[in-house]
Amino acid sequence: MWEGQSVSVVLMTFAERDSIRSVIEGFYETGVVDEVLVVNNNAEDGTVEEVEATQARQVFEPRQGYGNASRRGLQEAVGDLIVLAEPDGTFLPSDIFKLLVFSEHCEAVFGTRTTRELIWHGANMEPFLRWGNWAVAKLIEALFNTSHLSDVGCTYRLFRRDLAAGVADRMRIGGNHAGPEMMLLTVTSGARFVEIPVNYLPRVGTSSATGRPLTAIAIGIRMIGLIIRFRTRTPWRVTSRSTRGEAWW
């Protein structure tokens, strides 16, 4: 519990068998997490057993992709505050307190991995990925005239329950470029949000997305296309309403 509100952590898993148990236990050890929900997205053999050895609840999402797993997690989590994270060891469970502190004033809190001082040695945040995430985030800032953003790919983020339900209902992207879609749906909803720096650690194992440069480039191109299409389909009045905190769903 946090300030009388229940907290759910959603972990989407595909290739994190070797790290997921310790990540689950780490979140419970914070003392504020009421539920860890694991969305098994056709995960590698042995993942089910690792999760079953913990207190976490597990659901299975057969549609492949980060977006499909995230949507399912937002729909299934029961907490008043819902935190999305990775089970690959790249995030510190204790950083959840940073998100929770700002949840008192904001409906969404986005993490950013682009703060150089918090990028651990060996973390997969080379200059290309760091500046690429920054540039795409600045594109959202410019096109939607919104608050400071510096990382579109950070999956460590918090949503209040009502906003989470609205975002999940409107998500259409099932693949790896769904992160910016959740961000854009938040921006155009009129919800209050803030971005905060989080620690970024070396991953356990190899990422199926950013582990290969060409794959990361392809995801980045899809993100840019999504943002531009979203801008052309969103009335300017909706963007302007966001500064007044009026939700449109």
Side-chain angles (χ1 to χ4, degrees), residues 101-173:
V101 165
F102 282 94
S103 70
E104 179 181 351
H105 303 291
C106 298
E107 285 80 46
V109 185
F110 299 120
T112 175
R113 307 159 297 168
T114 59
T115 303
R116 185 175 57 186
E117 290 77 10
L118 297 183
I119 301 173
W120 291 35
H121 178 71
N124 185 25
M125 190 52 69
E126 299 301 324
F128 173 78
L129 280 175
R130 181 174 171 231
W131 290 109
N133 273 285
W134 180 88
V136 178
K138 292 306 174 185
L139 179 64
I140 293 177
E141 237 186 87
L143 292 182
F144 291 85
N145 189 29
T146 190
S147 301
H148 172 81
L149 294 170
S150 64
D151 188 357
V152 292
C154 184
T155 55
Y156 210 173
R157 48 185 59 173
L158 176 150
F159 295 96
R160 285 188 168 274
R161 184 167 187 78
D162 288 347
L163 178 60
V167 168
D169 185 57
R170 288 162 178 80
M171 286 180 67
R172 297 294 180 266
I173 304 300

Side-chain angles (χ1 to χ4, degrees), residues 41-232:
N41 196 206
N42 306 305
E44 60 188 333
D45 291 345
T47 303
V48 171
E49 291 75 14
E50 290 295 310
V51 176
E52 288 179 344
T54 71
Q55 305 175 56
R57 179 165 66 94
Q58 187 168 199
V59 297
F60 296 86
E61 174 51 62
R63 293 172 296 175
Q64 198 63 50
Y66 167 72
N68 289 323
S70 298
R71 182 192 303 113
R72 182 69 181 276
L74 293 174
Q75 293 169 335
E76 293 274 355
V78 300
D80 300 312
L81 304 172
I82 301 173
V83 176
L84 302 183
E86 294 280 2
D88 59 6
T90 52
F91 296 125
L92 290 178
S94 58
D95 271 351
I96 195 173
F97 290 103
K98 298 179 181 180
L99 280 67
L100 291 170
V101 165
F102 282 94
S103 70
E104 179 181 351
H105 303 291
C106 298
E107 285 80 46
V109 185
F110 299 120
T112 175
R113 307 159 297 168
T114 59
T115 303
R116 185 175 57 186
E117 290 77 10
L118 297 183
I119 301 173
W120 291 35
H121 178 71
N124 185 25
M125 190 52 69
E126 299 301 324
F128 173 78
L129 280 175
R130 181 174 171 231
W131 290 109
N133 273 285
W134 180 88
V136 178
K138 292 306 174 185
L139 179 64
I140 293 177
E141 237 186 87
L143 292 182
F144 291 85
N145 189 29
T146 190
S147 301
H148 172 81
L149 294 170
S150 64
D151 188 357
V152 292
C154 184
T155 55
Y156 210 173
R157 48 185 59 173
L158 176 150
F159 295 96
R160 285 188 168 274
R161 184 167 187 78
D162 288 347
L163 178 60
V167 168
D169 185 57
R170 288 162 178 80
M171 286 180 67
R172 297 294 180 266
I173 304 300
N176 287 327
H177 57 304
E181 183 186 37
M182 287 186 272
M183 190 173 282
L184 290 166
L185 289 169
T186 299
V187 168
T188 56
S189 75
R192 292 168 295 178
F193 67 91
V194 68
E195 182 185 75
I196 60 167
V198 295
N199 288 277
Y200 194 55
L201 285 64
R203 188 191 199 281
V204 176
T206 302
S207 171
S208 60
T210 57
R212 295 185 293 271
L214 289 179
T215 302
I217 291 171
I219 293 172
I221 292 172
R222 287 197 293 269
M223 286 179 175
I224 292 171
L226 166 68
I227 293 165
I228 293 172
R229 290 194 304 273
F230 205 100
R231 174 65 279 176
T232 60

